[in-house]
Amino acid sequence: MSIRELDDHEGVYVPDFNGAIQDYIVTDRTQYSTPEAHTLDKSAKERLLSGSDTCISEANRILAALETIDGDAHSHVGVKADAFSDFAFRLLHNEECRSVNSPIESFIVLSYTWRSPVWTPHYSLASNEHEGKGPLTPAMWTALLAQLREQECFWIDQLCITQSSESEKKAAIGSMDLVYRAARKVVVVLEDIALSLVDKAALYVYTKGGAMQQLSEDDRDRIASTFTKIVSARWFERAWCLHEFLVSKCHVFLVPVSQNHGPASTQSSILILRIDGNLLGRMFDIFLEQDRKRQNAGQESLLLNGPFNGTKIDQIRRLGVRLRALALQEALGTGEKPFEDGSFMNMFYEVSSHAAMYNTDKISIVLNSMRSGLYIKKLIPLSEEDCVWLITMVALAAGDATALATTGSRSIDGGSQLETKKHWVRAPSALDQAKRIGALRIPRTHINARSITSGLELDVLRLGTSQELMAAPSQYHLSIARWLIDHRALCPMLLDEQEMRLDMEADERTYAGLRIVYIQALACALACGRDWILAYHARSYVILPGGVDLHWNPEAKATFGAAVDWGLAIDIAHDIDPNLEESWQDFGTIMWASDVQHEGYGGNDSVASYAGEPWTSSLSADEEVWCSLLLDFVETLVTFGLAIPTPDPDTAKDFTWKVKMVSDFQGSNALVYAPEGQYHLCVPMALEDDAYNWMSRLWFLSGEERSGHYRLLGKSRIAGIRSSFPRPSQRVTVVG
């Protein structure tokens, strides 16, 4: 093997930080020969993969329910145990490390991105010898082999699966998670990016001496930017790479280090850095800290300086959270992954944000990652709409209530060639991911539903009609809410608050739409009264399910109560409009009081020059605290309690949904985000339990009661303190 580790006498310190970081110098860049894959017999396969449960009992339970709910969906999936039985498990032998005849005790697997015309390896790795040969560049292949223990084998999908055999690929896809779960280590190879020598030096300073060191601001900035370089790699965008990360337990990342500005062919050696997954998680923590500092100083996020869009940023944040959770899992010695909530729909949303060659692959990834015990037994092309429908049916069969609470676009519209019975299906959205802070795994429930030709038969609890239950706040409460929202710049900006502050929204039209929603939500809350606000706010300090109290100490509770009292007593008589109903529809105007001028607020330059002088707060110190607490409350209410989407600037003037009060729920009040018009308010029976109160479980159904057929207008969360609904339930058919 033409590789060696750097030694101390070479002037480079190589710390033993629990294997968190290591340099490799590759001196031989000639093309390698890929080894032959050896097929293991049944006993060896079962022995090596014995720790990977095929979840046959869970699979049989879901399949039985799925056959009742939708026969078409049932025909697409099978029991994973069948795929595993047909799976040809092969391993690659590194002849320098082991004898073919010696017993295999462990193996590692490669996670990488397949070659394609759309990308090439970084110039620090590229060599003429590599063109069209093997899954990796020669240098990376050598670094991969260095991860093997003595007598250990390795698995690479491209070399261990017969790519020309559809039946073999089907069995392998259905068993892929079992391989990654059983592997001793997953080696992630990043070939399209490279770090600099300065990046590498900062990481060594961080890990020097086997313990985390105090870092200078320059070093912290360097580590944060190094993290963004790493996560800009193509690997972090691919759906199968996400799958390999989700189902495995131990990861290391191999990243090239550019030693100069020339191509690899001009260098005497190639430098590759191995970074442990736990270290990458710690780098994520530093990145978050430095990024917050930048934004609080009015600078752009580090992610905005790179090739990152909104989807990519979301992917990076989820990755970082998982890396931290894996480190915690390892420290506690637990087998459960604390970051998964058990939702098929949430997992599908995340997988769908990554790229895959085939839509069917995304379904396979979800089934594998959720440990459903199922696999796709028909490798036929599926449209995106088909995938949403299929995963929704599987989720219903599994008792996953999130299948009834998705709020995305109508996945299958009336013009689709697919059956009418699928028109009610909604794709999962980003809003569905916003859960109560501290929520644990979503409990399974029995969902009594059936897909028929005309739609979905479902048991619902009818709460009443929009005419019976809906109410708007008074002009007095609207005035208070408008004053607080439009004077929010009077409050000092707290640490980490800038991302959430409404007045920092750069787009004027988006700001205008958000402003109306915030006024509506706060006015409705004020109309519900002091006790309602305190009781609802207290729920923010409870983990569900289980009702475990967090830390809302008496002093903080008293301060919040004082803030509510102050808000309800604000003297705004001079500010009451003759008809404040306009503030429910005024999307084109940004109203600011004369004492609130600050450059850039609301995205409107005219605001900054309103009076020509910087604004000064007219609130006392206590009032500033109270105002900030109320604004924080309404931020939480809008973002998590109601999960209101950010208005589309292009359609804000056509906005027809409003925040309204819903009364007569057994004498209590709640807030909902509802459309205009006449409709029935219903909650699916499966979502009755208060453990689902953070989901969009209120359905707005339009139709004749005597026919029992309804059209789904939309869904909303119910922000309130009630824990049960009136009975009895009613069987309805939702047609679209």
Side-chain angles (χ1 to χ4, degrees):
M1 187 189 310
S2 300
I3 189 168
R4 59 184 172 85
E5 299 179 356
L6 291 174
D7 297 321
D8 289 345
H9 68 266
E10 294 181 276
V12 179
Y13 177 71
V14 182
D16 181 18
F17 185 71
N18 298 322
I21 189 170
Q22 181 64 62
D23 279 343
Y24 300 110
I25 289 182
V26 181
T27 56
D28 185 354
R29 293 169 290 122
T30 59
Q31 179 58 43
Y32 55 91
S33 298
T34 56
E36 180 183 355
H38 297 268
T39 304
L40 278 67
D41 59 29
K42 180 180 179 182
S43 61
K45 177 177 75 170
E46 292 179 349
R47 177 174 56 82
L48 283 172
L49 305 182
S50 61
S52 302
D53 186 6
T54 57
C55 305
I56 190 167
S57 60
E58 174 72 355
N60 287 330
R61 183 186 70 82
I62 296 175
L63 277 178
L66 187 58
E67 188 173 19
T68 300
I69 293 174
D70 193 292
D72 290 341
H74 180 269
S75 68
H76 281 274
V77 296
V79 178
K80 181 184 288 289
D82 294 340
F84 181 68
S85 177
D86 296 335
F87 174 47
F89 185 38
R90 302 184 181 95
L91 286 174
L92 302 167
H93 298 244
N94 176 26
E95 303 304 338
E96 294 185 32
C97 295
R98 72 178 309 280
S99 167
V100 175
N101 297 320
S102 59
I104 302 171
E105 299 299 333
S106 66
F107 64 95
I108 65 174
V109 295
L110 172 67
S111 181
Y112 66 115
T113 53
W114 283 38
R115 292 279 179 266
S116 76
V118 301
W119 74 278
T120 56
H122 191 270
Y123 66 78
S124 62
L125 286 173
S127 61
N128 295 332
E129 294 89 345
H130 175 259
E131 295 300 325
K133 301 176 182 179
L136 300 176
T137 57
M140 274 299 184
W141 180 266
T142 305
L144 169 66
L145 297 185
Q147 309 308 308
L148 291 167
R149 291 176 176 172
E150 189 175 356
Q151 305 297 318
E152 196 168 46
C153 296
F154 58 113
W155 188 87
I156 301 176
D157 55 359
Q158 194 174 151
L159 303 179
C160 295
I161 301 171
T162 304
Q163 300 300 317
S164 60
S165 171
E166 289 299 312
S167 61
E168 186 171 324
K169 284 198 294 185
K170 179 176 68 175
I173 289 172
S175 306
M176 195 83 71
D177 59 316
L178 306 180
V179 175
Y180 280 84
R181 292 185 201 278
R184 179 182 64 83
K185 179 190 296 183
V186 173
V187 181
V188 178
V189 168
L190 309 179
E191 294 189 300
D192 56 326
I193 58 104
L195 304 182
S196 69
L197 291 172
V198 177
D199 298 331
K200 182 178 76 73
L203 291 177
Y204 272 119
V205 169
Y206 185 35
T207 58
K208 185 176 181 180
M212 294 305 169
Q213 302 296 309
Q214 294 296 321
L215 297 172
S216 67
E217 277 300 300
D218 287 344
D219 283 334
R220 297 180 75 84
D221 284 339
R222 173 58 61 179
I223 290 173
S225 65
T226 301
F227 177 80
T228 62
K229 283 184 184 179
I230 291 173
V231 297
S232 69
R234 179 178 171 82
W235 185 89
F236 295 94
E237 301 172 356
R238 305 300 298 176
W240 275 115
C241 296
L242 172 67
H243 168 270
E244 292 151 13
F245 175 78
L246 289 176
V247 300
S248 53
K249 56 192 176 185
C250 180
H251 317 83
V252 296
F253 294 78
L254 298 180
V255 191
V257 177
S258 179
Q259 302 178 74
N260 55 46
H261 297 293
S265 57
T266 66
Q267 302 174 18
S268 60
S269 62
I270 295 176
L271 180 59
I272 294 176
L273 190 65
R274 184 191 69 200
I275 298 174
D276 180 80
N278 288 345
L279 175 57
L280 190 61
R282 296 186 181 106
M283 293 170 64
F284 172 70
D285 290 335
I286 291 179
F287 159 76
L288 285 182
E289 293 171 8
Q290 298 306 105
D291 209 44
R292 289 193 190 104
K293 291 178 183 177
R294 288 177 61 89
Q295 294 184 61
N296 288 331
Q299 301 174 13
E300 275 193 339
S301 165
L302 288 167
L303 295 177
L304 297 179
N305 293 329
F308 305 112
N309 56 25
T311 299
K312 178 78 172 183
I313 292 172
D314 184 54
Q315 292 169 356
I316 292 169
R317 293 190 184 278
R318 287 174 180 270
L319 169 78
V321 170
R322 284 194 166 100
L323 286 168
R324 286 190 297 186
L326 284 171
L328 176 63
Q329 175 188 341
E330 181 178 326
L332 297 177
T334 60
E336 282 294 318
K337 292 190 175 181
F339 46 77
E340 306 301 350
D341 61 12
S343 167
F344 282 84
M345 304 309 294
N346 291 350
M347 181 62 73
F348 180 75
Y349 171 82
E350 182 171 5
V351 172
S352 294
S353 71
H354 292 69
M357 186 174 295
Y358 306 106
N359 288 322
T360 314
D361 287 347
K362 297 182 179 181
I363 298 292
S364 296
I365 292 168
V366 174
L367 296 180
N368 287 350
S369 301
M370 293 298 297
R371 306 197 76 154
S372 66
L374 303 176
Y375 82 109
I376 295 292
K377 63 182 183 181
K378 295 181 177 180
L379 290 185
I380 59 175
L382 292 178
S383 66
E384 292 183 8
E385 291 83 1
D386 282 323
C387 288
V388 174
W389 161 76
L390 181 55
I391 204 64
T392 301
M393 294 301 105
V394 171
L396 290 175
D400 175 9
T402 59
L404 297 173
T406 50
T407 58
S409 61
R410 185 191 298 262
S411 175
I412 303 166
D413 60 33
S416 171
Q417 298 300 313
L418 297 168
E419 298 92 334
T420 305
K421 69 177 183 179
K422 303 176 182 178
H423 292 171
W424 67 273
V425 174
R426 298 295 185 272
S429 73
L431 291 174
D432 304 331
Q433 318 305 306
K435 300 182 286 293
R436 182 182 305 283
I437 297 172
L440 303 180
R441 281 181 67 87
I442 299 166
R444 291 286 187 256
T445 186
H446 174 66
I447 301 177
N448 186 14
R450 186 166 67 98
S451 181
I452 60 176
T453 303
S454 56
L456 179 74
E457 281 190 352
L458 183 69
D459 289 336
V460 301
L461 298 163
R462 292 189 67 254
L463 309 181
T465 67
S466 54
Q467 292 177 310
E468 296 170 342
L469 301 177
M470 294 296 188
S474 68
Q475 292 189 2
Y476 175 77
H477 291 123
L478 279 168
S479 294
I480 294 176
R482 187 181 71 174
W483 190 93
L484 285 166
I485 297 302
D486 287 345
H487 287 72
R488 53 190 296 122
L490 295 177
C491 301
M493 186 179 296
L494 302 177
L495 185 64
D496 301 335
E497 192 184 21
Q498 184 170 348
E499 284 186 27
M500 296 292 291
R501 282 184 61 144
L502 172 66
D503 49 331
M504 297 305 294
E505 171 58 51
D507 188 284
E508 180 176 325
R509 294 177 299 164
T510 299
Y511 170 86
L514 283 170
R515 171 184 171 275
I516 299 303
V517 168
Y518 277 64
I519 291 174
Q520 293 172 5
L522 183 54
C524 285
L526 293 171
C528 288
R530 182 184 193 275
D531 291 344
W532 186 94
I533 294 175
L534 264 66
Y536 179 79
H537 191 55
R539 293 174 69 93
S540 300
Y541 292 85
V542 174
I543 295 179
L544 291 178
V548 181
D549 289 334
L550 297 182
H551 305 291
W552 196 19
N553 60 56
E555 182 180 353
K557 184 175 182 179
T559 303
F560 183 76
V564 176
D565 292 336
W566 171 76
L568 287 169
I570 290 176
D571 181 12
I572 42 76
H574 62 282
D575 197 41
I576 294 182
D577 227 278
N579 182 11
L580 273 182
E581 179 66 20
E582 293 177 3
S583 67
W584 291 74
Q585 301 173 1
D586 181 11
F587 292 95
T589 304
I590 299 177
M591 293 179 283
W592 286 73
S594 59
D595 59 348
V596 184
Q597 298 103 35
H598 193 288
E599 184 175 358
Y601 276 84
N604 190 343
D605 292 337
S606 64
V607 172
S609 58
Y610 190 89
E613 296 181 1
W615 64 269
T616 57
S617 176
S618 59
L619 302 179
S620 68
D622 283 342
E623 288 173 336
E624 286 183 352
V625 172
W626 295 336
C627 186
S628 181
L629 287 173
L630 289 177
L631 295 174
D632 181 66
F633 167 77
V634 74
E635 293 278 10
T636 303
L637 177 62
V638 168
T639 306
F640 298 102
L642 294 168
I644 296 177
T646 301
D648 183 345
D650 295 325
T651 60
K653 292 185 178 180
D654 300 324
F655 215 49
T656 58
W657 285 52
K658 298 178 181 178
V659 182
K660 295 188 177 182
M661 294 182 293
V662 180
S663 57
D664 293 332
F665 277 1
Q666 297 183 335
S668 62
N669 291 319
L671 305 187
V672 299
Y673 188 56
E676 293 293 280
Q678 300 181 13
Y679 44 81
H680 301 270
L681 282 73
C682 302
V683 172
M685 188 71 179
L687 297 176
E688 177 190 18
D689 193 279
D690 205 39
Y692 307 115
N693 75 337
W694 55 268
M695 295 183 189
S696 298
R697 55 177 173 166
L698 181 63
W699 287 31
F700 305 119
L701 300 178
S702 173
E704 292 291 333
E705 186 174 352
R706 62 173 177 266
S707 70
H709 285 64
Y710 298 88
R711 186 169 64 89
L712 178 61
L713 300 179
K715 304 173 189 176
S716 177
R717 298 191 182 188
I718 307 173
I721 58 176
R722 172 223 61 266
S723 61
S724 62
F725 298 101
R727 291 175 178 265
S729 64
Q730 176 184 344
R731 192 76 168 176
V732 301
T733 299
V734 183
V735 298

